Amino acid sequence: MIGAIRMVQRNALVYRRAWRGSVFFSFLQPTLFLIAMGVGVGRLVNRGDASLPAGVDFLDFLAPGLLAAACMQTASFESSWPISGKMTWQRTYEAITATPMRIRDLVFGELAWMAVRLSTVAIAFTAIITLFGVPRSPLVILAVPAAVLTGLAFSAPIIAYAATRKRDHFNGLFRFIITPLFLFSGVFFPIARLPEPLQTVAWFTPLFHGVELVRGLTLNTLESPAWLIHAAYLVSLTVIGIGASLWAFRRRLHA
Amino acid sequence: MPSTAEPFIRARNLTKRFANFTAVDSVSFDVQPGEAFGFLGPNGAGKTSTMRMIGCASPVTEGELHVIGMNPRTEASRIKARLGVVPQQDNLDAEITVRENLLMYARYFDIPGPIARRRADELLEFVQLSERANAEVESLSGGMKRRLTIARALINEPEVILLDEPTTGLDPQARHVIWERLYRLKRRGATLLLTTHYMDEAEQLCDRLVVMDKAKIVAEGSPRQLIEQYSTREVLELRFSDEVRAQLDGRLSGLADRIEMLPDRTLLYTGDGERTLEQVHTRNIPLESALVRRSTLEDVFLRLTGRTLVE
Ligand SMILES: Nc1ncnc2c1ncn2[C@@H]1O[C@H](COP(=O)(O)OP(=O)(O)OP(=O)(O)O)[C@@H](O)[C@H]1O
Ligand SMILES: [Mg+2]
């Protein structure tokens, strides 16, 4: 495990200089969304027949969804270009594997670092939505690890994908996966409003489960088998992603 | 060299295959402690593939390999703890500073902070980069990056240092700075393994070397032994005009032990270059230029493979 910590230290050293750029993306952007949509659009929505679950306001509905989505976006971004850069043109991993550091130290180190980054995003955003009076119970504390888990469920498979790329092929990932998920996984409206076949599709996407879990913990609406399914789905995706990352790193770095 | 000592590196029928392509074909060699051992060969000969297997960066396909008495397959981390690696392509961490590169690398080796800081400063001094300690890696010249990579490879006080083409792509002055530093390491008793396709580098730095070509070792020995064994003492290099060259057939025969016709020049291998040149003059063959020089590893390579080393 000490090896993974070394990787975290290395990334923290780099981040100490580069953190400003990521603040907008991880943190200000969801906050702006929350204000514009939650407060602005929310006023219109609440006047109509929104029939949101548990009869909550639109702002309250939206805020936890944005928390999960912010973690997805930060995780996806940080797991794509930076990982493939360290694998290919910067050759950082090659340099590190010439030391006693092992490939699993790299993979677990990157994920541990991701968990650190996601925690800062989740804690800060949870603090903001608390200022807006969104949480309905102290369970909101658990929304932080739930949001981090949502991020990791994206991070692990994307790290595996990034490690196999020769050049960066991530525009497709963002255009055709991350952005549609952001829009249609229940962040802005319940997936029950989607046409029937799309509801099923949405159910199988990871962000849906992340949003449901985080929202349930924030608004205290979780029911017992449902939250287990959401969590199990996210954990499974993370575990599969870790396995795939180990395989991809090994193939790339130990050929 | 102490031939009784346990070799530091021992390879027997070492083979590396990528899918169906054989990059290293059943090579065997021993490297003794304190030796500077070279792999000389043209592009694609398999030098890097061999070095990567020794550095435990690439699994051995077949054959036997022992590095400091350990097996790369089962003890990679323990071997790596005692190696220093300078890869063919620099892979410095571009996102942190010069000094941080050394400090971070020390962490990967689990070297305690105070020791790491002391060594980092000493090594920056050693490779003459103290003034650039807080610079971004990207701001360094090619030669400085190479020196930093060498310093980084020394952070764990390695017993064996692997240098894959330490000076390729550098200007002559930068190369000499690096050679001079490698000499010092050698004098301190470090075991050096280096690959190169520069024969002067091999002659300057290597106690012993193997010549590799097309995945195989084609000769082995000290630079002097190889030259004695595969070449003559001197070489007469002649250049002819195209017309003379076209009608040369047979006119040089008997003048030298061996004659090589290269596209741009003709090489006559002989014990005494000046005498051979006189004989060429007595045969009235018009020359554009003539040069007498000592044999080098380049000639050994030409003899062994029929090709020049640097295309
Ligand atoms: N990962 C790989 N997959 C497939 N083929 C490879 C791989 N690495 C090297 N090769 C092939 O193996 C052969 C030997 O390569 P290697 O890099 O060991 O040569 P080299 O002697 O270091 O050459 P150079 O002087 O150009 O660095 C080359 O033909 C190369 O294309
Ligand atoms: Mg090479």
Side-chain angles (χ1 to χ4, degrees):
Chain A
M1 227 26 349
I2 192 84
I5 293 170
R6 301 285 177 242
M7 195 69 226
V8 171
Q9 288 176 321
R10 183 263 169 206
N11 288 341
L13 188 61
V14 174
Y15 192 65
R16 232 177 38 189
R17 255 180 247 133
W19 64 274
R20 283 181 197 86
S22 69
V23 166
F24 175 80
F25 187 75
S26 303
F27 184 66
L28 284 182
Q29 181 177 307
T31 306
L32 291 177
F33 260 93
L34 184 67
I35 294 169
M37 315 244 356
V39 180
V41 179
R43 209 159 276 156
L44 302 175
V45 173
N46 294 336
R47 238 180 267 154
D49 168 30
S51 54
L52 296 169
V56 297
D57 272 1
F58 183 65
L59 175 77
D60 298 354
F61 175 82
L62 176 67
L66 284 176
L67 170 56
C71 282
M72 168 186 79
Q73 279 175 313
T74 297
S76 306
F77 186 83
E78 296 291 336
S79 307
S80 50
W81 285 285
I83 298 289
S84 110
K86 283 182 256 187
M87 186 62 86
T88 56
W89 61 274
Q90 297 185 63
R91 295 172 163 265
T92 315
Y93 296 133
E94 180 193 75
I96 299 175
T97 50
T99 74
M101 294 270 289
R102 296 155 307 178
I103 282 173
R104 60 176 177 276
D105 298 326
L106 301 183
V107 170
F108 286 107
E110 290 293 10
L111 276 166
W113 169 246
M114 205 65 65
V116 172
R117 286 275 284 111
L118 291 170
S119 300
T120 62
V121 171
I123 289 169
F125 198 69
T126 303
I128 289 182
I129 66 174
T130 305
L131 286 181
F132 278 87
V134 173
R136 296 285 171 87
S137 96
L139 272 183
V140 71
I141 294 289
L142 293 178
V144 170
V148 171
L149 175 63
T150 306
L152 291 180
F154 282 88
S155 179
I158 293 174
I159 286 176
Y161 175 75
T164 59
R165 295 296 91 190
K166 285 227 160 46
R167 294 214 150 259
D168 40 6
H169 283 250
F170 302 113
N171 290 329
L173 171 71
F174 283 88
R175 214 167 285 159
F176 300 114
I177 297 181
I178 303 302
T179 302
L181 288 189
F182 180 55
L183 295 173
F184 299 108
S185 296
V187 175
F188 297 100
F189 57 87
I191 64 165
R193 292 296 174 89
L194 288 168
E196 178 52 56
L198 284 182
Q199 276 185 43
T200 314
V201 174
W203 194 93
F204 279 100
T205 65
L207 184 58
F208 166 73
H209 295 277
V211 167
E212 287 295 303
L213 197 57
V214 173
R215 184 175 285 142
L217 289 163
T218 309
L219 303 180
N220 198 12
T221 54
L222 273 190
E223 287 165 22
S224 129
W227 77 264
L228 260 175
I229 292 171
H230 300 317
Y233 182 105
L234 296 171
V235 169
S236 308
L237 194 55
T238 307
V239 170
I240 292 168
I242 291 172
S245 297
L246 287 168
W247 176 83
F249 269 59
R250 217 158 262 143
R251 209 179 68 143
R252 201 67 186 258
L253 293 167
H254 196 68
Chain B
M1 279 301 111
S3 55
T4 48
E6 175 78 5
F8 247 25
I9 294 163
R10 177 187 154 87
R12 289 294 174 274
N13 305 318
L14 183 61
T15 297
K16 178 76 206 180
R17 270 191 290 275
F18 297 104
N20 296 322
F21 181 81
T22 305
V24 179
D25 191 358
S26 195
V27 304
S28 301
F29 56 87
D30 285 336
V31 182
Q32 306 296 340
E35 202 173 19
F37 188 87
F39 297 85
L40 179 68
N43 288 130
K47 305 182 297 293
T48 297
S49 303
T50 306
M51 289 291 244
R52 282 172 47 81
M53 285 190 282
I54 297 169
C56 311
S58 166
V60 171
T61 311
E62 249 168 53
E64 185 194 321
L65 179 65
H66 283 274
V67 183
I68 324 181
M70 291 179 277
N71 184 344
R73 216 186 304 266
T74 51
E75 295 174 287
S77 282
R78 290 180 57 202
I79 293 174
K80 287 175 184 179
R82 296 163 68 179
L83 292 184
V85 179
V86 176
Q88 183 165 353
Q89 272 176 284
D90 282 325
N91 55 18
L92 295 163
D93 197 330
E95 298 182 271
I96 55 183
T97 66
V98 167
R99 188 160 181 272
E100 284 168 345
N101 260 274
L102 299 182
L103 295 177
M104 202 57 237
Y105 223 61
R107 285 222 172 110
Y108 301 139
F109 282 99
D110 258 326
I111 297 166
I115 299 177
R117 284 189 286 276
R118 199 198 66 224
R119 282 193 201 162
D121 293 333
E122 283 169 10
L123 286 169
L124 286 175
E125 195 67 38
F126 178 68
V127 297
Q128 298 164 303
L129 284 173
S130 299
E131 270 100 83
R132 309 301 295 267
N134 297 315
E136 297 294 320
V137 167
E138 280 313 312
S139 73
L140 301 184
S141 70
M144 289 174 176
K145 282 186 187 157
R146 215 60 189 142
R147 267 143 55 198
L148 179 57
T149 306
I150 291 172
R152 192 185 65 177
L154 299 175
I155 196 80
N156 56 326
E157 302 192 326
E159 289 153 74
V160 181
I161 305 159
L162 308 179
L163 301 132
D164 197 352
E165 302 197 12
T167 66
T168 298
L170 303 184
D171 60 59
Q173 200 193 339
R175 291 177 70 196
H176 281 283
V177 175
I178 287 180
W179 285 356
E180 199 269 323
R181 297 295 121 167
L182 295 179
Y183 267 133
R184 288 202 196 188
L185 289 175
K186 225 177 106 169
R187 274 209 304 276
R188 291 184 196 169
T191 304
L192 304 182
L193 261 75
L194 66 113
T195 77
T196 182
H197 43 215
Y198 296 127
M199 43 132 192
D200 51 347
E201 186 158 278
E203 281 178 20
Q204 296 241 11
L205 293 174
C206 298
D207 301 316
R208 224 152 47 81
L209 59 95
V210 291
V211 179
M212 282 189 86
D213 186 40
K214 296 188 182 136
K216 287 193 155 69
I217 291 179
V218 292
E220 175 177 352
S222 70
R224 180 190 296 234
Q225 280 171 349
L226 286 170
I227 292 166
E228 275 171 14
Q229 189 173 348
Y230 294 101
S231 191
T232 52
R233 212 172 66 86
E234 294 194 332
V235 186
L236 174 60
E237 287 201 12
L238 302 177
R239 283 172 208 266
F240 304 106
S241 65
D242 287 344
E243 305 89 75
V244 175
R245 202 182 144 80
Q247 299 157 12
L248 208 53
D249 54 345
R251 292 176 73 190
L252 293 172
S253 64
L255 288 181
D257 296 5
R258 196 163 58 83
I259 297 176
E260 290 281 353
M261 307 282 279
L262 300 182
D264 58 333
R265 67 219 142 105
T266 302
L267 306 180
L268 278 68
Y269 288 92
T270 165
D272 184 342
E274 289 298 338
R275 249 194 62 205
T276 309
L277 181 56
E278 276 168 31
Q279 290 167 338
V280 172
H281 285 314
T282 48
R283 290 196 187 183
N284 275 326
I285 306 168
L287 299 176
E288 278 194 339
S289 73
L291 167 79
V292 175
R293 60 168 175 82
R294 301 183 73 83
S295 272
T296 67
L297 287 171
E298 181 80 52
D299 301 297
V300 172
F301 189 79
L302 186 62
R303 166 75 189 277
L304 289 167
T305 67
R307 287 177 297 121
T308 50
L309 200 47
V310 185
E311 286 90 46

